Amino acid sequence: MKNKLIKVNKNDNVAIALVDLFQGDKIEFEGEEVIILSNVKAKHKITMVDLAKGAKIYMYGVLVGKASSEIKRGDVLTVDNVKHEASKTFKKTETSDWTKPDISKWEDRSFQGYHRQDGQVGTANIWLFFPLVFCENRNIELLKDVFEKEFSFHKSPKQRQLLRNLINGKDEDTNVDFDEEETGVFDNIEVKFITHQGGCGGIRQDSVMLSKLLAGYVNNPNVAGATVLSLGCQNLQIDIFKNALNDINPEIKKPVFIYEQQQMGTVDEMLNTIIRESFEGIKKANEIKREPAPLSKLKLGLECGGSDGFSGISANPALGYASDLLSALGGSPILSEFPELCGVEQELVNRCADDETAQKFMQLMKSYENAAEAAGSGFDMNPSPGNIKDGLITDAMKSAGAAKKGGTSPIAAVLDYGEYVTKPGLNLLCTPGNDVESTTGMVGSGANVVVFTTGLGTPTGNPIAPVIKMSSNSTLARRMPDIIDVDSGAVIRGEKTIQKMGEELFEYIIQVASGEIKSKADQLNQNDFIPWKRGVSL
């Protein structure tokens, strides 16, 4: 590796260790000698100046913490000598002056997608089963068992084969026979099932929010049609769901079959009716074929999880460059995880298209932070033990790197959770930092493909949108090849630029969107769905 340290912004007073450093090492950096005062693991930070107690710490050009004790030049930053600190006030002070990336090689490109009557284009063709209330989860699971076994969409899990062999007394390492993947009944349609724990028992606002999310899933261009189960007496009434769907798309043409158990007699009678009618809908949806669509029809979810100290200098900025390419082409990237935008608010406010958009962003951020503090927490408690272990020791430090996923393009719109993306360009969506809650929310707002960066590794996927995993480092890609699609470790080694890595990622996104490549999360049948519950249970 050519360099052992990297400074992200010229105004930073800390640098990131690209390799393990040891006490007493002498390193030439920026024309000066730096003496390492203690052992430093790769991904962690050292200070480039003497810091007195209370001194501000800058990284990515923004305030990311303050020294809680004296820190000498060349010493490592830890949770013991650094505390979270971020800018407290922000307002729109300038207008974004964006230089678009060169998009000449993609202007005439297309992807192969599923065209819907409302003009949206899907990257998948899915018939979706879901309940309005948790009381129907068992019936959804029964339908899942019936459809998946008969349609043979997925091969038998290897672990089931292993257990079968163990039961039969065979050696667990040498006598595992794996079933070959069976051919599905239909070529152009998948059937997916989601369950949840909402729809009743909480405050009414939770049910309304859930109705918006579920309506967003139905309206998502990856969905060809849906089967919806209701009990009948729950908070999330059928009319509430229908109103939410109408608010998103009054002209929706997709088949949506809704069944209310308390009006249908026995479970067998209800399930038999559902199966017959849904099968006919699925059969018709299978007739839809992939056709060319402009790249502007892509709505790209930008997600990170299991982040490490390299995420903000390799995978996230590479995804940010891909996001800028899509924005320049008229597509819609979506940046979420508001707790992980703490500390970079000023930059984002200045990038907002107008004052109204900026005001909405500031209001949502402040409201969210106040709610967290009222619950006895705060954004400063966002970094996980894994984040901290791998160099992200304050929320502002984590946020400054996480925000790089959004590139540099102007912010066209700011959305609250449950609102649907309608404007081309970068959209900010208010979601938690929780990986699955955030991904669930972006897909509910229309994302038809997601890129998920990770430094530590996470298997997260989604029921209706392909989730592409991008590792921040090659060690992870080698250790967990079954979940990583794209490796950005070459950026850390100095073998590829951010721009080059971003262009390669963009090409990969197009291939996944066209169905030419199946993401690892889809190969693993990783269908995670967790709605954000803002209220309390009653």
Side-chain angles (χ1 to χ4, degrees):
M1 183 175 291
K2 185 167 54 175
N3 298 314
K4 294 184 178 181
L5 290 172
I6 185 173
K7 185 188 286 187
V8 182
N9 185 286
K10 65 179 181 179
N11 297 320
D12 294 351
N13 55 12
V14 299
I16 305 167
L18 297 177
V19 296
D20 289 347
L21 304 175
F22 301 94
Q23 184 177 6
D25 284 352
K26 297 179 179 180
I27 299 173
E28 289 295 323
F29 184 69
E30 295 186 336
E32 297 181 1
E33 183 180 78
V34 180
I35 300 175
I36 305 303
L37 299 185
S38 55
N39 293 340
V40 183
K41 291 184 178 180
K43 308 178 185 179
H44 285 258
K45 288 78 183 169
I46 64 169
T47 176
M48 305 307 294
V49 297
D50 289 339
L51 295 173
K53 182 178 179 180
K56 295 180 178 180
I57 298 169
Y58 291 90
M59 189 175 168
Y60 298 99
V62 299
L63 179 64
V64 297
K66 66 179 180 180
S68 56
S69 62
E70 183 181 22
I71 311 174
K72 292 294 186 180
R73 181 174 186 265
D75 211 349
V76 64
L77 305 184
T78 71
V79 291
D80 296 320
N81 59 23
V82 174
K83 296 296 182 184
H84 168 82
E85 184 79 5
S87 299
K88 299 294 185 183
T89 59
F90 38 89
K91 61 181 180 179
K92 192 167 175 61
T93 58
E94 58 187 65
T95 301
S96 176
D97 183 18
W98 185 46
T99 301
K100 292 184 180 182
D102 181 6
I103 56 173
S104 56
K105 68 173 75 173
W106 292 286
E107 284 180 305
D108 297 324
R109 292 282 298 280
S110 61
F111 72 98
Q112 294 292 316
Y114 295 96
H115 293 247
R116 307 303 178 191
Q117 292 185 47
D118 61 3
Q120 295 189 96
V121 181
T123 65
N125 196 36
I126 290 167
W127 189 278
L128 185 63
F129 287 76
F130 64 86
L132 293 183
V133 62
F134 58 81
C135 305
E136 291 298 318
N137 282 348
R138 177 181 177 273
N139 289 329
I140 291 290
E141 293 292 350
L142 285 171
L143 291 166
K144 179 180 179 181
D145 184 62
V146 170
F147 275 90
E148 287 193 346
K149 284 184 176 177
E150 290 305 314
F151 282 12
S152 300
F153 281 129
H154 308 290
K155 63 183 177 182
S156 180
K158 294 179 180 179
Q159 285 68 33
R160 195 174 82 187
Q161 298 291 321
L162 171 60
L163 179 59
R164 184 184 301 165
N165 285 349
L166 292 174
I167 291 171
N168 292 330
K170 296 181 180 179
D171 183 87
E172 60 181 279
D173 293 321
T174 60
N175 294 312
V176 179
D177 299 317
F178 303 129
D179 288 348
E180 294 295 324
E181 188 167 6
E182 300 177 37
T183 303
V185 174
F186 298 120
D187 296 329
N188 286 312
I189 188 74
E190 291 183 87
V191 178
K192 293 293 186 75
F193 303 80
I194 56 179
T195 57
H196 57 80
Q197 301 304 314
C200 201
I203 58 176
R204 295 296 192 270
Q205 292 90 327
D206 276 338
S207 291
V208 171
M209 186 65 68
L210 179 59
S211 72
K212 293 180 179 179
L213 179 69
L214 294 173
Y217 269 68
V218 173
N219 194 59
N220 189 292
N222 290 0
V223 171
T227 297
V228 184
L229 272 61
S230 168
L231 178 60
C233 58
Q234 73 274 357
N235 286 347
L236 206 175
Q237 289 286 295
I238 290 174
D239 283 347
I240 295 175
F241 169 71
K242 286 182 175 179
N243 289 337
L245 190 55
N246 183 71
D247 288 342
I248 290 178
N249 190 350
E251 304 298 326
I252 193 165
K253 304 295 184 182
K254 297 177 184 178
V256 181
F257 304 152
I258 304 177
Y259 303 91
E260 187 165 288
Q261 183 172 0
Q262 290 172 346
Q263 301 298 321
M264 295 188 70
T266 68
V267 171
D268 281 348
E269 289 172 338
M270 179 182 72
L271 293 180
N272 290 346
T273 299
I274 291 172
I275 290 170
R276 287 191 182 96
E277 295 180 359
S278 296
F279 178 75
E280 290 303 316
I282 293 166
K283 186 165 60 173
K284 187 172 182 179
N286 183 62
E287 297 172 3
I288 306 170
K289 311 292 184 182
R290 288 186 185 269
E291 296 178 3
L295 299 181
S296 60
K297 294 296 184 179
L298 290 176
K299 294 179 180 177
L300 177 65
L302 313 171
E303 182 66 31
C304 63
S307 299
D308 70 349
F310 284 166
S311 292
I313 60 175
S314 59
N316 288 350
L319 175 54
Y321 190 80
S323 170
D324 283 347
L325 290 173
L326 184 59
S327 287
L329 289 162
S332 302
I334 307 168
L335 180 63
S336 59
E337 300 178 287
F338 270 32
E340 297 180 11
L341 301 180
C342 175
V344 294
E345 294 98 333
Q346 184 61 62
E347 174 194 339
L348 295 174
V349 164
N350 287 339
R351 286 168 58 187
C352 286
D354 50 49
D355 289 340
E356 182 180 356
T357 303
Q359 285 295 328
K360 185 173 182 179
F361 171 61
M362 289 186 284
Q363 182 271 321
L364 286 172
M365 281 291 289
K366 192 63 179 176
S367 177
Y368 194 164
E369 187 169 21
N370 288 343
E373 290 173 353
S377 185
F379 286 173
D380 60 304
M381 299 182 71
N382 176 267
S384 69
N387 295 148
I388 294 169
K389 181 181 178 181
D390 266 45
L392 301 177
I393 60 175
T394 74
D395 181 58
M397 187 180 291
K398 179 179 179 181
S399 296
K404 295 299 178 183
K405 301 191 303 293
T408 60
S409 64
I411 295 166
V414 174
L415 307 175
D416 199 359
Y417 188 81
E419 293 184 313
Y420 204 83
V421 172
T422 59
K423 291 185 178 181
L426 181 63
N427 285 247
L428 298 187
L429 175 66
C430 183
T431 75
N434 177 290
D435 302 346
V436 180
E437 287 178 334
S438 176
T439 302
T440 297
M442 286 191 292
V443 175
S445 290
N448 53 9
V449 63
V450 176
V451 174
F452 189 118
T453 67
T454 182
L456 305 177
T458 173
T460 301
N462 184 267
I464 69 169
V467 177
I468 299 166
K469 294 289 171 34
M470 186 181 200
S471 68
S472 71
N473 61 90
S474 297
T475 300
L476 170 61
R478 289 191 295 266
R479 186 174 66 247
M480 304 179 77
D482 58 330
I483 70 168
I484 299 300
D485 299 282
V486 181
D487 174 21
S488 66
V491 174
I492 300 298
R493 297 190 297 274
E495 297 168 3
K496 291 181 182 177
T497 64
I498 293 295
Q499 178 178 334
K500 176 64 175 174
M501 196 71 243
E503 290 177 347
E504 290 182 5
L505 173 61
F506 195 60
E507 288 289 346
Y508 197 91
I509 293 168
I510 295 171
Q511 289 179 287
V512 170
S514 298
E516 297 169 10
I517 296 176
K518 193 172 186 178
S519 72
K520 298 291 181 65
D522 278 349
Q523 291 177 35
L524 292 172
N525 198 29
Q526 187 84 35
N527 299 315
D528 300 317
F529 179 84
I530 302 179
W532 183 19
K533 182 180 178 182
R534 280 174 157 170
V536 297
S537 290
L538 298 177

